[in-house]
Amino acid sequence: MTTPESRAAHTLDWKTRLSIALGWMVFRVLGLTWRSTVHGREAIWPRRDGHTACVYTLWHGQMLPVLWSHHVRTGVLVSEHRDGEIITRILEKFGMFGVRGSSSRGGTRALLEAVQVVKQGTDMAFTPDGPRGPRHSFAPGALILAHRAQVPVVTITAHVDRKWQLRSWDAFEIPKPFARITVVYGAPRYLTDADVREAAARTEEFAAHMAADQAQAAALASPPRNGSVGAS
């Protein structure tokens, strides 16, 4: 099967590819100073429930700290616009790959391709507030995929104690040197709804799950006060 990232490679000029390569070198050096702590991943890795794949959801603005700490080959749904092509190339650097499409353009084809990826045993990740926001809104694509492929949804959120935030719609986060990154994987959640429309209607519920996980990540990142014992 022709991979989405190989198609994207032919649409980027050499200056863009060079910028990506140089930017990745900078991030690699910067990343060597980051200290990541991951919570909850043991629930889905290794898999013990007979399923070989899941659907992750993460906020668009937290892609860098989450993917840096992820270390699992995963397909990521990305836009068909030029920025999506650039993201696809960057995903290759993380050992991942892009599936091109979004809820606004190319969505049906991308969803069908994503279903095949998951059924072949590879995880997929969605940024439910991408590609254009609003920030922390939750589009139903991940829920539709999980329902059709009969695999669980796993939320991923991150807290970064020292970071730069871009003035973009997603407030994109770049950890500063020696930043502490705390990543929380939510419990696997299965969509046992009678039909896909019921599953797709649960967006507010899953946005609330991600908000709760975000608060948990912040709490886990905070040192215990007055001699109390922090969460493990």
Side-chain angles (χ1 to χ4, degrees):
M1 181 176 68
T2 302
T3 59
E5 65 266 36
S6 64
R7 294 196 298 268
H10 297 295
T11 62
L12 296 178
D13 58 63
W14 70 268
K15 291 182 180 180
T16 303
R17 295 198 301 272
L18 178 61
S19 298
I20 292 171
L22 293 175
W24 176 251
M25 291 175 60
V26 172
F27 280 125
R28 285 288 296 175
V29 173
L30 186 61
L32 292 174
T33 72
W34 298 339
R35 289 156 288 180
S36 297
T37 303
V38 178
H39 300 267
R41 190 160 53 191
E42 64 277 1
I44 52 95
W45 188 30
R47 314 291 162 80
R48 297 187 178 93
D49 60 1
H51 290 277
T52 58
C54 64
V55 177
Y56 301 108
T57 60
L58 58 142
W59 296 131
H60 198 277
Q62 294 187 340
M63 288 182 68
L64 181 56
V66 167
L67 296 183
W68 185 268
S69 307
H70 187 53
H71 307 307
V72 179
R73 178 166 170 76
T74 301
V76 181
L77 188 73
V78 295
S79 164
E80 288 192 320
H81 300 287
R82 187 173 183 276
D83 60 341
E85 297 173 1
I86 295 171
I87 291 173
T88 298
R89 292 287 288 180
I90 295 172
L91 289 172
E92 290 183 61
K93 304 294 185 181
F94 285 98
M96 303 179 194
F97 62 95
V99 174
R100 304 302 302 279
S102 70
S103 59
S104 58
R105 183 179 179 187
T108 301
R109 177 186 58 78
L111 185 60
L112 291 173
E113 186 170 350
V115 169
Q116 293 305 310
V117 168
V118 172
K119 287 186 174 181
Q120 291 171 9
T122 301
D123 297 336
M124 277 292 303
F126 279 61
T127 53
D129 58 345
R132 292 189 293 271
R135 181 173 181 253
H136 292 184
S137 59
F138 201 106
L143 307 183
I144 295 171
L145 170 59
H147 186 272
R148 289 185 174 176
Q150 299 182 344
V151 297
V153 177
V154 176
T155 59
I156 313 177
T157 52
H159 175 84
V160 182
D161 67 341
R162 301 175 63 251
K163 62 193 175 187
W164 292 290
Q165 280 190 287
L166 303 185
R167 293 183 178 179
S168 53
W169 68 264
D170 59 352
F172 193 84
E173 300 179 8
I174 303 174
K176 292 183 177 181
F178 304 101
R180 293 182 181 273
I181 301 171
T182 304
V183 177
V184 170
Y185 285 71
R189 296 181 174 96
Y190 293 87
L191 296 167
T192 57
D193 305 87
D195 60 55
V196 70
R197 288 175 296 180
E198 292 181 11
R202 297 173 63 182
T203 53
E204 291 186 7
E205 173 190 339
F206 276 82
H209 287 317
M210 292 193 72
D213 292 344
Q214 184 71 62
Q216 182 185 8
L220 289 167
S222 301
R225 298 179 180 178
N226 300 325
S228 60
V229 178
S232 58

